[in-house]
Every structure is written in C-alpha cells, then in structure tokens.
Amino acid sequence: MRRLFTSESVTKGHPDKICDQVSDAVLDAVLKDDKDGRVAVEALTTRGLVMVAGEITTKTYVDIPEIVREVIKKAGYVRPEYGFDYQSVAVITSIQEQSPDIAQGVNIGGAGDQGIMFGYATDETPELMPMPISFAHKLVRRLTELRENGTVPYLRPDGKSQVTFEYDNTGTPVKATAVVLSAQHDEEVKMERLTEDLRELVINYVIPEELRDKDMRCFINPTGKFVQGGPVADTGVTGRKIMVDTYGSFARHGGGCFSGKDPSKVDRSAAYMARYIAKNIVKAGIAKKVEVQLAYAIGISEPVAVNIDTFGTSKYSEEQISRVIRKVFDLSPRGIIERLELLRPIFYKTAVYGHFGREEEGFTWELTNAVKDLQEAISG
C-alpha cells in the first residue's frame, strides 16, 4: 500500500531557531566555566528585540546580551536593511535562580522534572534516521552553505524546507514526490533566477536522481517573493520546532523541548539517551526500527517506565528488550550524563539541523559503542 510521509526543517535564521540557539549558547557559556551550573533559559524574538528569561544557578558570569548578539551575527543578520541585525537589536533579560524546591531533588541525582521522552532509530538511512527529516535537514544546510560561501549572494538568513517521500508496502522509502523550499532573498532578485538556482543548486544537488520521482513536484517560494523574513516577519520562541529537532513527526514526542536546558533536565538528557539506546539496538541487529520510551518522576533517579516498540521488526519480545536495556544502561540522570559526557559546552550546534542523525564531534548519543554489550545481553 502506497503511503506518503512529510517532514520539515528550517535554517538557523528562522526566528524560532534564533531563540533555540540563544538558549543553548547561554547554556554553553555556563557549562564552559561551571559544570555544576543549572540552566533553564528560553528566548523570544520579534522585530528589533530579543528577550531572554528563565532560571540560572551558577558561580560564573555570563554576558547574555553579548551572547545574543553573537548568535544573531552567526545566523546571518549582519545588515541593517534586513530590518533585524546584531548591532542594533535590543536585548532584555529576566533571570532568577532555580527553585530550591526543584534543586533539592536534583542535587541528590534525581530527575529535574517529570517527563516522557522518546528515542527512535530506523535502518532506512545510513544515519539510522527517517528519510524525510534527513533530507529536509540536508536541504536547509545546503541553502545556508550557498548563502554563507557567497555562491548565491542574494540569499538572506531565513528559510524552510519540506520533503514528502513515498513508502512502499514494506515500509521502505522509495522516492521523493514533493519538495517545498522557501528562501528569504534580496528585493532585486528575479523569481526566475531564484527558482532555477534553488532547483539545481539545492534540490537536485541534495536529493539523488534515483530518489526523485519522475513527476516530483517542487514548490520554490510558493507565495512568490520572500524578502521580509526572520523576526521582522514572525515572532520566534524557544522550543517551537520540536519535530524539526527530533524525527520529523515520524516518532512520538513527549512534548518537552531541549534547548536552554542543562542535562539534569531529563527532557533533554533522557531524550538523548533514548536515541542512543534506539540507535544501538538497530545497529546491533536486534530490530530494524525501534522506538524507546522513558518516563521519569521529579526527584526520582530511575525511570518509572521503560517501553519498547519494534513495530514487528524484531525476533525478540519487547519485554525482553526492555529488560536488556535496564541491564546494560544506567538510566539515572547522573548515569546518562556520565555515559554521554553531557557536562560540556556542546549544545549550541545542536540547536539547528536536528539533534539526531549527526555523526559529528560532541554528538555522543549518536555513537554505536554499546552494540556488543547489547548483543551479549540479548543472547545471554
């Protein structure tokens, strides 16, 4: 039975992603000098303004306005004619310390909040991610690359992608049937040139010919011009792109965002651990695809539940796999932090192009170094 599935991604100049990057840049600044710092920071941006609010408990000093300006600069808002730029933006902060009621549970190694986290892996791509979100990220990364290296000089920082893949009756992705690509641009560029450039230099460059349906539809800036973008055109808030951050809606989501939260918050650390477990299960050949659910109670170190769904792709029972997971992995917040080495300033770069499927330095939850332990435990 033919089935279509669609995922999206956004560039680092998208308003919501500016806020995610600000939140994680603040977190990195704290962790750089204070590994015991507690951070729960969110940002909001609109025309000419960024507001940063939340809780920070630390022994170091963080210059939040300077961090905000640097993030905006790196995102590409460097020209006043964009209507939003790093030099003129106003920055408002409202920061307090973490509640002592929460801290008393976290300080003894418990979870910083209740929460439900999901991790997912599938063998349909080399990075063990769903194909639609994988290509959606690649499209916006390519868009940003062409802007930053000057190949397409009229591009501006904001942009979005959306990719639809057809799956066959075995659940295998076979071809891309539709692509939506929206790219902010300078006023004077002709739409004919933009359409041709983005089709050839982005869409056809990223999606191999063998994966393109012969009738694949391409919608490039489908409303016409896209001159006004970023926070001038749309308000941004931390945590509004959680499906972009994870699996492109392919897997379930507990609802909590990642950015701006230190690893004591299981919203982030346990979601990373669930992905790490899922990826190693697939890499170990235990299942072709798997979704891992971890649930925690505030102040309690061990998860209150571990749930597995292999979608009928494993010869082992899901109860058996759940027992193996508890045997092989320390699922306490402290154990997760130690295993994945999360008390490092590595989070700013996770805030764009997804937190998963990236085999880059610092993305320890993408390692497959638990394969042997899982294979031995499941066979024993």
Side-chain angles (χ1 to χ4, degrees):
M1 179 179 175
R2 180 176 182 265
R3 181 172 72 100
L4 301 177
F5 197 90
T6 305
S7 296
E8 70 164 353
S9 187
V10 298
T11 66
K12 62 184 179 180
H14 186 280
D16 292 330
K17 277 294 149 197
I18 291 174
C19 294
D20 287 343
Q21 291 168 90
V22 165
S23 299
D24 275 336
V26 171
L27 170 61
D28 279 358
V30 171
L31 291 179
K32 180 176 179 291
D33 296 319
D34 181 9
K35 295 187 185 303
D36 296 320
R38 299 276 166 73
V39 179
V41 165
E42 298 181 6
L44 177 147
T45 185
T46 187
R47 182 188 292 263
L49 173 69
V50 175
M51 181 172 183
V52 182
E55 298 81 46
I56 299 178
T57 302
T58 182
K59 61 188 178 185
T60 192
Y61 170 73
V62 176
D63 188 340
I64 292 178
E66 182 62 28
I67 290 170
V68 170
R69 296 183 194 282
E70 185 63 22
V71 166
I72 293 170
K73 182 180 181 181
K74 288 180 178 179
Y77 291 98
V78 296
R79 290 157 52 184
E81 57 264 38
Y82 293 168
F84 181 87
D85 71 276
Y86 76 101
Q87 291 180 310
S88 64
V89 68
V91 180
I92 299 174
T93 63
S94 179
I95 302 295
Q96 59 186 6
E97 290 191 343
Q98 184 181 61
S99 162
D101 297 342
I102 297 174
Q104 66 181 347
V106 179
N107 291 341
I108 61 172
D113 198 355
Q114 71 180 46
I116 306 159
M117 279 60 63
F118 290 90
Y120 182 79
T122 173
D123 66 356
E124 65 189 58
T125 60
E127 60 272 25
L128 304 187
M129 289 287 285
M131 193 167 284
I133 188 65
S134 181
F135 276 100
H137 288 321
K138 289 175 182 178
L139 287 169
V140 292
R141 292 191 84 154
R142 176 63 174 169
L143 200 61
T144 299
E145 176 189 350
L146 295 174
R147 175 179 62 80
E148 291 182 340
N149 67 22
T151 301
V152 184
Y154 56 77
L155 290 176
R156 292 186 177 184
D158 200 357
K160 303 177 77 171
S161 69
Q162 184 175 288
V163 184
T164 301
F165 266 87
E166 178 184 332
Y167 283 72
D168 65 18
N169 58 7
T170 68
T172 302
V174 291
K175 54 190 173 182
T177 62
V179 175
V180 182
L181 193 62
S182 297
Q184 188 188 12
H185 57 84
D186 290 344
E187 178 81 57
E188 63 274 9
V189 68
K190 301 293 186 184
M191 286 302 100
E192 294 80 4
R193 180 188 174 189
L194 182 143
T195 299
E196 182 180 348
D197 284 349
L198 297 193
R199 184 186 295 271
E200 293 303 318
L201 299 177
V202 181
I203 296 173
N204 290 348
Y205 180 90
V206 167
I207 302 177
E209 186 174 0
E210 63 270 19
L211 286 179
R212 291 182 235 143
D213 184 80
K214 61 182 178 62
D215 297 318
M216 185 179 79
R217 296 175 296 165
C218 294
F219 302 92
I220 298 173
N221 284 17
T223 64
K225 71 176 186 178
F226 182 9
V227 174
Q228 192 176 82
V232 172
D234 191 13
T235 301
V237 180
T238 298
R240 281 207 303 205
K241 288 291 178 283
I242 57 175
M243 293 305 173
V244 172
D245 289 340
T246 53
Y247 308 100
S249 300
F250 218 94
R252 283 169 281 195
H253 197 294
C257 78
F258 306 152
S259 292
K261 297 176 180 176
D262 74 77
S264 74
K265 281 74 172 173
V266 286
D267 273 346
R268 176 167 227 154
S269 55
Y272 287 1
M273 190 65 174
R275 163 64 178 173
Y276 175 68
I277 294 168
K279 187 171 183 181
N280 277 271
I281 286 172
V282 173
K283 193 73 173 179
I286 295 171
K288 291 176 66 64
K289 62 180 176 179
V290 63
E291 184 180 73
V292 178
Q293 182 196 48
L294 304 176
Y296 289 82
I298 187 168
I300 307 301
S301 62
E302 291 299 317
V304 298
V306 177
N307 184 61
I308 301 298
D309 188 348
T310 61
F311 308 95
T313 67
S314 178
K315 66 180 181 180
Y316 303 100
S317 73
E318 288 159 356
E319 182 182 1
Q320 185 179 3
I321 297 171
S322 294
R323 288 199 302 268
V324 165
I325 288 172
R326 285 188 179 271
K327 179 180 178 181
V328 171
F329 301 103
D330 181 349
L331 299 177
S332 68
R334 189 168 290 165
I336 293 171
I337 289 168
E338 289 176 359
R339 177 126 193 180
L340 300 182
E341 302 176 22
L342 296 179
L343 295 180
R344 296 173 296 143
I346 57 172
F347 299 107
Y348 168 70
K349 62 183 178 181
T350 70
V352 285
Y353 312 130
H355 294 245
F356 307 126
R358 297 168 61 180
E359 296 175 348
E360 305 169 25
E361 185 179 357
F363 288 71
T364 50
W365 49 94
E366 292 297 317
L367 298 175
T368 53
N369 52 9
V371 165
K372 185 177 179 182
D373 291 340
L374 284 168
Q375 289 172 333
E376 290 177 352
I378 199 83
S379 62

